[in-house]
Amino acid sequence: MTDLSSRNPDWWRQAVIYQVYPRSFADADGDGLGDIRGIAERLHHVAALGVDALWLSPFYPSELADGGYDVADHRDVDPRLGTLDDFDAMVAEAHRLGLKVIVDVVPNHTSHQHPWFQEALRAGPGSPARDRYVFRAGRGEHGELPPSDWQSVFGGSAWQRVPDGQWYLHLFAPEQPDLNWDNEEVRADFRTTLRFWSDRGVDGFRVDVAHGLAKDLTEPLRDLGDLSPTGEEALQHLPPGSHPYWDRDEVHEIYRDWRKVFDAYSPPRTAVAEAWVPDARRALYARPDELGQAFNFEYLQADWDADALRRVITGSLETARTVGASATWVLSNHDVVRHATRLMLPPGTDDNAWLLSGGHAPRVDEAAGLRRARAAALLMLALPGSAYVYQGEELGLPEVADLPTEVLQDPIWEQTGHVRKGRDGCRVPLPWTTSGPSYGFGPGGAWLPQPPAFASYAVQAQDGADGSTLELYRRALRLRRKLLEGESLTWAPDVPAGVLDFARSESWRCVTNLSGEAIALPPGEVLLSSAPLPDGGVLPPDTTVWLA
């Protein structure tokens, strides 16, 4: 059995990590916003699930121009969420419960309210303060045009003009100016940040936009024409490592430097990259002398199709193996439509068009979506490597697609001129109880409205309830810990069409029926199934079973 104890420096290789979006997890002070004390008070829920660690999305001082990813101080807690003392107490309680703590680090940009950026605005063109960011003169007769045609991920130009006529780069919201990683002061400051949190007991880091730090700022800046600004689509049209600001080869020098910081601790601090890059390039971030792991977005994006999933699983394991890393698996997070809903959308459905319809075109069968989500969860938890579970998926929460536009908080909505609805639907605060002004999220209301249907998904409604999704996760995670052995799988030969069947070792196997018909249940003792198994020895559609 794999050793996941605190003494094992490789605990992360097959761990289950629970993602907490702090503003939506639990509210202790009643202001409608989740906070650090709320997390600490609910840690028993996370520990009882049987996960190994929790990952906290940003909790730093922020005006929330991008849900907390616009950071005004990388070494403090937002006063609305608590204090550093609250953070220390939360980490201590997590460790007491046997949980590791991973925090988000946001190195590509700061908030425009960050003291450095305010200093840069005051200091003017050519100053050392401006060199920490990416400031450039504009094009055109009077500098009235942006320095290049680079586009923001959130829509519109990636350049914003300041009163003295210069422009600064923001690959995301205008409130998120990009840092200049050619500047040694920037590099030194982030080494200080990594040590600051490591010294407070943090066990690892999730690196936001890990593929965006290094940029080709050679003059004149290269225009991109019609290439998409986002992720893999843009990278497929250029030689690897040559995009002006995504996934440049020079970025790996930064992470080799970070690894020296991580390895100065015992056990070494862990890290995982958020890098929206093609499979083979993603492996570079997971090398042992860099971050060690990288998120596997191919798995999240795969259709509910046996052949597609088998290709992704096989390729992901092989790619991770080439650099000595372990694979990662994730079904939901704070940036995507929740998988209990997403897996029921017809292949090719435009998520944004569906969100703009309020979830009505097409309408999703929530019961069927939950069945498929439960099968997907057991499949994911059977795979070799680390699984990342987003808060609420253990409850089977669906996406909240019909949020009124007047309550939307995601900057994507405004920045795209109301063309893209954004990510608020997966960030609606959790339901803990079946009643109350925010279903137990806090003593008052919640910063995003929860639908009445959330009452039936609440922890209180599912705790101890036979067959509930919460109890399925608890049973699966307890069993997984006992069964883990090795980091490989063996595909079964000659399986029916639409079926995934693999052995993790000589002692257990996982079978998922993604076809539209029931199949004969393979031989073996049933250890766990994602749905009740009917008499007659069959495995129904959209069902996963673990067999001894």
Side-chain angles (χ1 to χ4, degrees):
M1 187 177 72
T2 299
D3 177 15
L4 296 176
S5 72
S6 60
R7 297 180 298 277
N8 176 17
D10 293 330
W11 65 268
W12 50 272
R13 292 188 68 91
Q14 292 207 79
V16 178
I17 297 95
Y18 184 92
Q19 181 191 357
V20 169
Y21 191 74
R23 290 165 176 82
S24 297
F25 189 70
D27 170 24
D29 62 12
D31 65 354
L33 201 63
D35 46 43
I36 299 296
R37 283 200 299 116
I39 295 170
E41 291 172 2
R42 295 289 190 179
L43 279 179
H44 61 277
H45 168 78
V46 182
L49 274 179
V51 304
D52 304 292
L54 69 152
W55 148 35
L56 272 66
S57 292
F59 49 85
Y60 312 111
S62 170
E63 66 174 335
L64 303 183
D66 181 22
Y69 283 88
D70 48 314
V71 179
D73 185 343
H74 292 85
R75 298 192 286 272
D76 203 353
V77 174
D78 191 308
R80 291 165 294 183
L81 273 65
T83 65
L84 282 171
D85 287 342
D86 292 331
F87 179 86
D88 292 341
M90 184 271 297
V91 171
E93 176 64 4
H95 287 165
R96 186 187 71 80
L97 293 169
L99 295 167
K100 306 285 189 182
V101 178
I102 296 169
V103 300
D104 238 302
V105 62
V106 187
N108 181 70
H109 46 259
T110 71
S111 166
H112 68 154
Q113 295 182 336
H114 192 286
W116 272 6
F117 192 73
Q118 292 299 309
E119 180 186 358
L121 293 179
R122 294 191 299 270
S127 63
R130 286 214 172 171
D131 189 59
R132 297 177 185 136
Y133 294 89
V134 183
F135 278 87
R136 288 293 184 275
R139 297 187 293 190
E141 184 179 355
H142 303 291
E144 71 277 11
L145 300 176
S148 73
D149 68 354
W150 298 355
Q151 296 291 294
S152 162
V153 172
F154 291 162
S157 174
W159 296 96
Q160 181 77 18
R161 202 175 192 190
V162 298
D164 59 38
Q166 278 203 315
W167 300 71
Y168 67 86
L169 179 67
H170 61 89
L171 291 180
F172 294 87
E175 295 87 353
Q176 295 169 288
D178 279 51
L179 287 163
N180 172 20
W181 275 86
D182 289 335
N183 184 301
E184 177 53 37
E185 193 175 359
V186 170
R187 297 190 180 211
D189 191 71
F190 268 87
R191 287 192 291 268
T192 298
T193 293
L194 297 174
R195 293 188 185 102
F196 178 87
W197 295 111
S198 296
D199 290 344
R200 302 191 93 90
V202 163
D203 302 284
F205 300 88
R206 178 264 191 186
V207 185
D208 184 61
V209 196
H211 60 308
L213 277 57
K215 298 175 176 68
D216 179 8
L217 300 175
T218 306
E219 297 287 354
L221 300 177
R222 281 188 289 152
D223 282 342
L224 283 168
D226 295 331
L227 292 185
S228 164
T230 58
E232 297 177 46
E233 185 180 341
L235 300 175
Q236 291 167 356
H237 300 283
L238 294 169
S242 68
H243 192 282
Y245 51 83
W246 292 140
D247 189 38
R248 294 190 59 78
D249 291 334
E250 304 95 298
V251 78
H252 298 288
E253 174 195 344
I254 296 168
Y255 298 129
R256 285 191 289 272
D257 183 51
W258 285 19
R259 174 49 58 186
K260 296 173 185 176
V261 176
F262 300 151
D263 287 350
Y265 292 86
S266 181
R269 290 344 188 206
T270 65
V272 58
E274 182 211 28
W276 290 87
V277 300
D279 198 29
R281 295 287 297 182
R282 187 181 66 244
L284 302 179
Y285 296 82
R287 288 179 288 196
D289 65 339
E290 293 191 32
L291 297 177
Q293 273 194 336
F295 281 127
N296 177 5
F297 295 116
E298 281 89 348
Y299 184 73
L300 183 151
Q301 294 170 322
D303 289 334
W304 187 245
D305 174 84
D307 291 338
L309 283 168
R310 178 166 175 161
R311 285 193 299 271
V312 167
I313 291 167
T314 300
S316 299
L317 290 172
E318 289 176 352
T319 299
R321 196 175 297 118
T322 62
V323 294
S326 61
T328 63
W329 315 104
V330 58
L331 288 165
S332 289
N333 62 36
H334 64 291
D335 282 334
V336 299
V337 172
R338 284 187 175 273
H339 71 274
T341 297
R342 189 183 70 249
L343 291 177
M344 287 306 300
L345 293 174
T349 299
D350 181 279
D351 288 357
N352 182 61
W354 178 79
L355 288 170
L356 288 172
S357 78
H360 299 302
R363 190 177 293 277
V364 173
D365 182 336
E366 284 195 3
L370 180 57
R371 181 184 182 92
R372 191 167 283 184
R374 289 162 59 102
L378 281 199
L379 170 60
M380 177 181 74
L381 293 174
L383 294 170
S386 293
Y388 287 77
V389 174
Y390 180 48
Q391 64 178 44
E393 74 175 73
E394 78 278 15
L395 306 178
L397 287 186
E399 184 79 1
V400 182
D402 58 354
L403 288 171
T405 56
E406 62 268 19
V407 305
L408 298 180
Q409 304 285 322
D410 192 337
I412 289 177
W413 175 243
E414 292 296 338
Q415 195 154 331
T416 62
H418 301 175
V419 171
R420 291 166 56 196
K421 195 169 184 181
R423 301 158 292 179
D424 291 304
C426 65
R427 301 176 179 183
V428 175
L430 294 189
W432 294 92
T433 60
T434 57
S435 61
S438 60
Y439 300 106
F441 169 68
W447 67 281
L448 283 173
Q450 302 149 300
F454 262 32
S456 64
Y457 291 96
V459 174
Q460 183 182 50
Q462 299 194 46
D463 185 25
D466 188 39
S468 72
T469 302
L470 176 58
E471 293 300 334
L472 175 69
Y473 269 78
R474 288 173 175 171
R475 289 183 62 195
L477 290 167
R478 285 195 299 268
L479 192 55
R480 181 183 187 273
R481 192 181 291 268
K482 294 177 182 177
L483 293 171
L484 279 185
E485 184 178 338
E487 292 187 14
S488 62
L489 59 75
T490 303
W491 293 106
D494 304 322
V495 299
V499 173
L500 293 174
D501 185 344
F502 59 85
R504 278 299 307 272
S505 67
E506 294 183 358
S507 60
W508 72 293
R509 67 196 284 200
C510 173
V511 184
T512 302
N513 182 6
L514 297 92
S515 74
E517 305 291 336
I519 64 166
L521 185 66
E525 175 193 354
V526 175
L527 300 173
L528 187 62
S529 64
S530 63
L533 299 179
D535 295 334
V538 297
L539 184 63
D542 292 339
T543 305
T544 296
V545 64
W546 292 359
L547 299 167

